[in-house]
Amino acid sequence: MIRHEGRKGAATRKSSLDGQCWEEAEVRSRYPAAKSLHRGETSRSTTESEVFDDGTNTFFWRAHTLTVLFILTCSLVYVTLLEETPQDTAYNTKRGIVASILVFLCFGVTQAKEGPFSRPHPAYWRFWLCVSVVYELFLIFILFQTVHDGRQFMKFIDPKLGVPLPERDYGGNCLIYDPNNKTDPYHNLWDKIDGFVPAHFLGWYIKTLVIRDWWMCMMISVMFEFLEYSLEHQLPNFSECWWDHWIMDVLVCNGLGIYCGMKTLKWLSMKPYKWQGLWNIPTYRGKMKRIAFQFTPYSWVKFEWKPASSLRRWLAVCGIICVFLLAELNTFYLKFVLWMPPEHYLVLLRLVFFVNVGGVAMREIYDFMDDLKFYKKLGQQAWMVAAITVTEFLIVVKYDPYTITLPLPFYVAQCWILGIVLVLVWTVWRFFIRDITLRYKEIRRQKQEYKPEEDTLQVNGGANSERNFSKQKNL
């Protein structure tokens, strides 16, 4: 999904015979200081799709830095000379903060470094990078406040906030069929089905597109249900019926979302990526199709995580899963400590934010893991997402240390200890004991193959010595 800046050199890419994907050539053109990659130097060539691009560079793709600067300057001149400043301190403070953020976003959208994605437009992804910086600064500000001031500061954003809200308990009566209720015996089932059911499905559909791996998605889905079981003594919101955990969540919502996501990934990996300029397409139907495809990837990279291939990749995949689960838990704990109702628009905006930055971050992490020869450092969006996840967790720890440190029930702690020990044992066996055993067997096999050859040489050497001795004796 990487776009060459200005789309120069498309004809050169088409005639290239080095076997590399054009997306890789675009990366090299964007970072001229990077070393050129030759055939066989990267394992990514088999996972990248071919791209055909006619190189059309239209007004839509230009940076427009001067245009943005001119509009921004005119706006500030209007506020300074033509608008009367209100005498409301709170209103002026809010407007000043919003204006400062907008100026920063204008700078970032036009000047920030591009990431791996280019559709629908590189400026779109630069915008979300700048939003992530603003959000991280907001979290840092909240982190440095007292608990009371931090919660009351939320009223500065919405006067309805800053009030403690009871958590809804999804447990209680877990009978799917309630014979005592003659009017509606399935009322428990209907009570559990709310707006979060389609949200679960859509969320896991998008997460599958982000992670691009069925095994990792299922692991995260099942692990989060175990976390809900383990932490329901801290947050009543985690208390759900068994069929809500495993049937409604894992099988129906999460499972169906993962299945649809994998089908979409298969389609994206097989579709041709041929791009023409809009004005080079003769038919109106073709133009409409081209406009619709503008919101699809520019190219496609199939993620092959291969966690068991090396200790480094195994630890990296485990770290990704842990950060992913921590970000999921932060959603519930932040609502709890900052007193935000689940239906509040800030909760929804946070989810929309992670949807947009998560895909870029995961791609940058995969690039960093998969090709260290070219990607020398972690991507900027991945760095920001990791910092945001950690900062959110620190806010939870500071604002409600009592809840977060409530000890796990004994049987839950035993289960987690057993699981961690099994993972550690498997890691030691897979990457240390097994490798040492295989290396020992290989050395032993080589010695066994070398010994018959040595014996044959000794026999041949002895026979030649006897023959030479016989010849000398006859002489």
Side-chain angles (χ1 to χ4, degrees):
M1 297 182 191
I2 305 177
R3 179 186 184 82
H4 185 284
E5 201 166 304
R7 293 201 173 189
K8 295 180 181 178
T12 304
R13 291 197 301 271
K14 289 182 181 179
S15 61
S16 176
L17 299 177
D18 63 354
Q20 298 297 323
C21 176
W22 293 335
E23 182 181 359
E24 186 178 283
E26 290 174 340
V27 175
R28 290 199 299 270
S29 64
R30 181 180 299 161
Y31 304 102
K35 296 181 180 178
S36 299
L37 296 176
H38 301 285
R39 183 185 301 178
E41 280 190 5
T42 175
S43 60
R44 292 280 300 283
S45 58
T46 59
T47 64
E48 295 178 349
S49 61
E50 278 193 327
V51 181
F52 299 86
D53 194 335
D54 64 1
T56 302
N57 185 22
T58 62
F59 178 83
F60 177 73
W61 290 106
R62 294 168 191 165
H64 305 294
T65 53
L66 293 178
T67 303
V68 173
L69 179 61
F70 176 76
I71 295 174
L72 180 61
T73 304
C74 290
S75 301
L76 296 178
V77 169
Y78 171 80
V79 172
T80 304
L81 302 179
L82 302 177
E83 186 182 67
E84 183 178 356
T85 304
Q87 299 301 316
D88 189 343
T89 304
Y91 173 76
N92 291 336
T93 303
K94 289 182 181 180
R95 195 171 67 154
I97 294 174
V98 172
S100 302
I101 294 174
L102 290 177
V103 171
F104 173 73
L105 292 179
C106 289
F107 168 78
V109 166
T110 55
Q111 301 293 340
K113 186 174 69 173
E114 291 186 8
F117 292 174
S118 65
R119 295 301 169 89
H121 195 280
Y124 177 81
W125 303 107
R126 294 196 294 265
F127 168 79
W128 284 108
L129 173 64
C130 297
V131 170
S132 64
V133 175
V134 174
Y135 181 53
E136 171 66 7
L137 295 177
F138 169 76
L139 292 175
I140 295 295
F141 176 81
I142 293 293
L143 182 63
F144 276 77
Q145 308 306 307
T146 63
V147 176
H148 177 267
D149 291 345
R151 287 169 175 167
Q152 295 305 311
F153 177 79
M154 301 305 292
K155 286 186 175 182
F156 191 73
I157 302 174
D158 186 351
K160 297 179 182 179
L161 297 177
V163 180
L165 298 173
E167 283 284 329
R168 180 180 175 183
D169 186 357
Y170 284 77
N173 190 353
C174 290
L175 292 175
I176 299 178
Y177 180 85
D178 188 359
N180 296 324
N181 192 321
K182 303 299 182 182
T183 306
D184 186 7
Y186 293 98
H187 66 95
N188 289 327
L189 181 61
W190 309 133
D191 289 342
K192 303 300 186 294
I193 298 177
D194 51 19
F196 291 99
V197 172
H200 274 206
F201 166 79
L202 182 61
W204 273 103
Y205 174 77
I206 297 175
K207 290 171 189 174
T208 306
L209 299 183
V210 169
I211 300 174
R212 308 185 193 180
D213 185 84
W214 177 87
W215 177 86
M216 284 183 64
C217 288
M218 289 303 300
M219 282 295 298
I220 294 173
S221 176
V222 174
M223 285 289 293
F224 186 75
E225 298 303 322
F226 280 118
L227 285 173
E228 285 190 325
Y229 268 123
S230 305
L231 300 174
E232 63 182 16
H233 67 289
Q234 295 183 1
L235 292 186
N237 187 249
F238 287 154
S239 179
E240 298 177 350
C241 298
W242 66 268
W243 49 268
D244 200 356
H245 278 294
W246 303 111
I247 298 178
M248 292 293 296
D249 286 351
V250 175
L251 294 181
V252 178
C253 298
N254 302 357
L256 188 60
I258 293 172
Y259 173 80
C260 295
M262 294 304 297
K263 288 296 182 182
T264 305
L265 291 174
K266 184 177 180 181
W267 175 76
L268 289 171
S269 64
M270 296 177 64
K271 72 178 291 289
Y273 290 90
K274 299 181 180 181
W275 303 108
Q276 279 183 283
L278 188 64
W279 307 115
N280 297 334
I281 302 174
T283 63
Y284 286 107
R285 182 179 180 181
K287 292 180 186 294
M288 296 303 296
K289 186 177 180 180
R290 175 63 181 83
I291 292 174
F293 279 171
Q294 183 66 27
F295 296 90
T296 63
Y298 176 73
S299 65
W300 191 250
V301 174
K302 181 182 178 182
F303 286 3
E304 294 181 351
W305 294 102
K306 300 178 181 178
S309 60
S310 67
L311 179 62
R312 175 178 172 271
R313 293 185 76 94
W314 167 249
L315 295 177
V317 169
C318 290
I320 292 171
I321 293 175
C322 291
V323 174
F324 213 105
L325 291 173
L326 182 60
E328 293 276 359
L329 290 176
N330 287 342
T331 305
F332 296 90
Y333 279 94
L334 278 177
K335 292 186 299 183
F336 181 77
V337 301
L338 295 179
W339 296 347
M340 289 189 294
E343 64 276 4
H344 196 271
Y345 71 90
L346 288 179
V347 179
L348 179 61
L349 286 179
R350 180 185 176 276
L351 296 178
V352 172
F353 164 77
F354 270 100
V355 165
N356 284 276
V357 303
V360 183
M362 194 62 69
R363 171 63 185 275
E364 291 177 345
I365 292 172
Y366 180 78
D367 289 339
F368 182 68
M369 285 177 51
D370 202 55
D371 195 356
L372 276 176
K373 293 182 179 179
F374 187 76
Y375 298 95
K376 301 295 184 181
K377 60 182 181 180
L378 187 65
Q380 52 193 1
Q381 190 66 82
W383 192 93
M384 286 304 307
V385 169
I388 287 170
T389 304
V390 173
T391 308
E392 287 181 339
F393 178 70
L394 293 177
I395 290 174
V396 173
V397 173
K398 177 178 180 178
Y399 276 52
D400 198 348
Y402 173 77
T403 298
I404 202 69
T405 56
L406 284 175
L408 296 175
F410 181 70
Y411 66 93
V412 173
Q414 283 184 319
C415 293
W416 279 105
I417 292 173
L418 177 61
I420 294 173
V421 169
L422 290 177
V423 171
L424 291 176
V425 169
W426 184 88
T427 302
V428 172
W429 174 83
R430 175 62 180 81
F431 299 106
F432 295 97
I433 299 176
R434 180 176 176 271
D435 288 351
I436 294 174
T437 304
L438 291 176
R439 195 177 300 113
Y440 172 76
K441 289 182 178 179
E442 180 65 20
I443 295 173
R444 186 176 180 183
R445 184 184 63 81
Q446 292 177 357
K447 286 183 177 180
Q448 290 176 351
E449 291 179 354
Y450 177 75
K451 189 174 181 180
E453 295 178 0
E454 189 178 29
D455 294 341
T456 303
L457 291 175
Q458 291 179 354
V459 170
N460 293 337
N464 291 334
S465 300
E466 291 180 359
R467 192 178 300 112
N468 293 334
F469 179 75
S470 299
K471 289 181 179 180
Q472 291 177 1
K473 187 176 181 180
N474 294 332
L475 291 175

